[in-house]
Amino acid sequence: MNKYAIILAAGKGTRMKSKQPKVLHEVAGKTMLAHVLSSVSAIDTEKNIVIVGHEADRVIATLPKGTNFVKQNEQLGTGHAVKIAADLLSDKEGTTLVIAGDTPLITGETLQQLFDYHTSNKATATILTAIAENPTGYGRIIRGADNSVEKIVEQKDASEKEKAIHEINTGTYVFDNRALFSALNEITTDNAQGEYYLTDVIEIFKDLNRTVAAYTLENFDESLGVNDRVALSQAEKIMRQRINHQHMINGVTFIDPEHTYIDSDVTIGSETVIEGNVTIKGKTTIFNNVHITNGSRIVDSEIHSDTEIRNSTIEKSRMSVGSNIGPYAHLRPGTVLSEDVHVGNFVEVKGSTLGKGTKAGHLTYIGDATVGEKVNFGAGTITANFDGKNKFNTEIDDFAFIGSNTTIIAPLHIGKNGLTAAGSVINEDIPAETVAIARGRQVNKLGRAKKMPHYRGK
């Protein structure tokens, strides 16, 4: 049986109080819509259709290649949103999932179980339900004497007796596709909202003696729909707990998982130890046996095995096996540390490659440089790579020794085993095996200190 999915993503999300479309707000580094599409991908659908409306172009720009979309120019309710997909789906044999784009916590496993339950019950419609401690605001599931589903009643249309029901509609459904679009032609706006409710098709199916089933979530958290910033923060917390739990199951040690923030697309190898107050974002890959200490932040980077990151920031960079940085180091975009490189405290590296065994221990800036193996940078070294308009490159060959407080004015080349004297300002190439001294000669004025303002006597 072919499977299809309709993802509802047209709403403005007024309660978010945001210029951004609601479904594009992020949870653990991915938009809510991306989370939903990822879960839908687990059920192997033939076609996915995203219903877009508010800020449609911005939403469309985020969709994976090959995703179909239909614009809902007027927001006339969930029934109307699904109905406008008719041209793409109404003549198809199969089963259709309808799910909201603001439900980022629903998993692919749950959607597969929903489909299996629908099939085993030979249902025309199956509703994903949940038991809510506080059901206020949700549509209620009304069951008959035989426990079958009779209808769904929205909060604004519910009687006091119906409002007391704790089984709620999560807004996720599976339908027989042709039956769905046939029923949508019969729904009306005769309700408190004056909208076309998708839920009205349930009563239509019941009147036709079709089977309407309900599959109840085991974990209520999955049902969370995000309508405001409070719910967004709840979704964020739950998703991060889920992510960290899975990493720990896979062999990663978290010293303080409640205060460790890992995005959805991050991968982490076993035997890695991550201390508290660490943030790892984007599509970062961390290999085995990495140690990341308190306060570190890593974004879109590749961290190989047996490395150590001590209270430092890494952006779009790569650390090779055995390298280490920090504390308080900063690897900016385009940085590559080869094997066994040491980048120490208050060192910033930007758009540069450091060769195997190179060391920059402290208080150094290396920008737009290609550095060979086993080069030593003394404290206070600066590559002056920017003249206010253009960036320039520096090349430093193997075994060079850069003395403390050296300023290297790019572009230039320092040859193999070249050495700069401490305090030099280097603005010319240094040949291999050469010592470069570029500083003013020291002159001592004996006894002159007695005449200076600072003098306080012997």
Side-chain angles (χ1 to χ4, degrees), residues 54-66:
H54 177 68
E55 295 278 4
D57 291 343
R58 292 178 65 184
V59 176
I60 292 166
T62 71
L63 298 178
K65 186 177 181 180

Side-chain angles (χ1 to χ4, degrees), residues 238-257:
I238 293 165
M239 184 67 77
R240 292 198 183 281
Q241 289 174 338
R242 185 186 293 177
I243 290 166
N244 290 358
H245 179 266
Q246 188 58 51
H247 284 305
M248 288 187 281
I249 294 298
N250 293 340
V252 178
T253 295
F254 288 93
I255 302 302
D256 185 3

Side-chain angles (χ1 to χ4, degrees), residues 293-314:
T293 74
N294 185 291
S296 295
R297 178 182 176 86
I298 306 169
V299 181
D300 291 326
S301 295
E302 187 176 304
I303 313 299
H304 285 259
S305 299
D306 304 313
T307 54
E308 185 174 16
I309 300 161
R310 298 186 297 275
N311 196 9
S312 295
T313 297
I314 304 174

Side-chain angles (χ1 to χ4, degrees), residues 3 36 38-40 42-43 97 99 103-118 126-130 170 172-174 214-224 242:
K3 299 175 185 175
V36 172
S38 178
S39 295
V40 169
I43 60 175
L97 169 74
I99 185 169
T103 53
L105 299 176
I106 290 182
T107 66
E109 291 81 5
T110 290
L111 295 181
Q112 186 58 59
Q113 291 164 6
L114 177 62
F115 267 91
D116 292 344
Y117 189 84
H118 176 83
T126 301
I127 308 157
L128 183 65
T129 72
T170 68
T172 298
Y173 318 84
V174 172
Y215 177 74
T216 304
L217 277 170
E218 293 183 9
N219 184 350
F220 178 78
D221 287 345
E222 289 192 47
S223 71
L224 179 66
R242 185 186 293 177

